[in-house]
Amino acid sequence: MLWTALHFPQLALEALLPLSARREPWAASDGAQIVTCNAAAVARGVRPRMKLSAACAVAPQLRHRVRDAACEARALEELALWALQFTSSVSLQPPNGLLLEIEGSLKLLGGIKPIFAAIRDGCARM
């Protein structure tokens, strides 16, 4: 069997925000600590595992939300449904990952390089 893993490190944040808001500095927290943040927040000095109070001090314009486990689970399930175009064997790896068994799809989809390219392109569009 040949598996590939997809990791979505910003899923906690991306599941909460509309695309239009992603240019502003945003972070998702577990209450007291930053779980993940977008590139705009990183550019202002915010980092994962930073205390929320410190993040707000270094980036006063930072917007944040408490992570929503149910929302993240729904987003991961939607990603799994999307991944079914590459294989019928998709395994959820909560909180932010998927495993895809792709060996059976190699001939059908033209080999590993086209599969990886299609996955990268699809993830970038989403």
Side-chain angles (χ1 to χ4, degrees), residues 37 45 71 121:
C37 53
C71 187
D121 292 346

Side-chain angles (χ1 to χ4, degrees), residues 1 31 66 74-75 96 111 115 126:
M1 283 194 217
V66 174
R74 281 191 304 275
N96 56 9
I115 291 172
M126 289 189 287

Side-chain angles (χ1 to χ4, degrees), residues 16 37 57 62 68 75 82 92-93 96 106 115:
L16 295 171
C37 53
L62 179 69
D68 180 339
W82 167 81
L92 298 173
Q93 299 296 302
N96 56 9
L106 292 175
I115 291 172

Side-chain angles (χ1 to χ4, degrees), residues 43-91:
R44 290 166 175 81
V46 179
R47 301 289 184 269
R49 295 182 301 281
M50 178 182 260
K51 288 189 181 239
L52 181 57
S53 57
C56 290
V58 299
Q61 64 277 48
L62 179 69
R63 302 175 103 186
H64 56 87
R65 288 196 179 157
V66 174
R67 73 186 302 175
D68 180 339
C71 187
E72 290 174 46
R74 281 191 304 275
L76 192 60
E77 288 170 2
E78 289 174 15
L79 287 165
L81 290 172
W82 167 81
L84 288 172
Q85 66 186 299
F86 305 109
T87 178
S88 61
S89 242
V90 177
S91 174

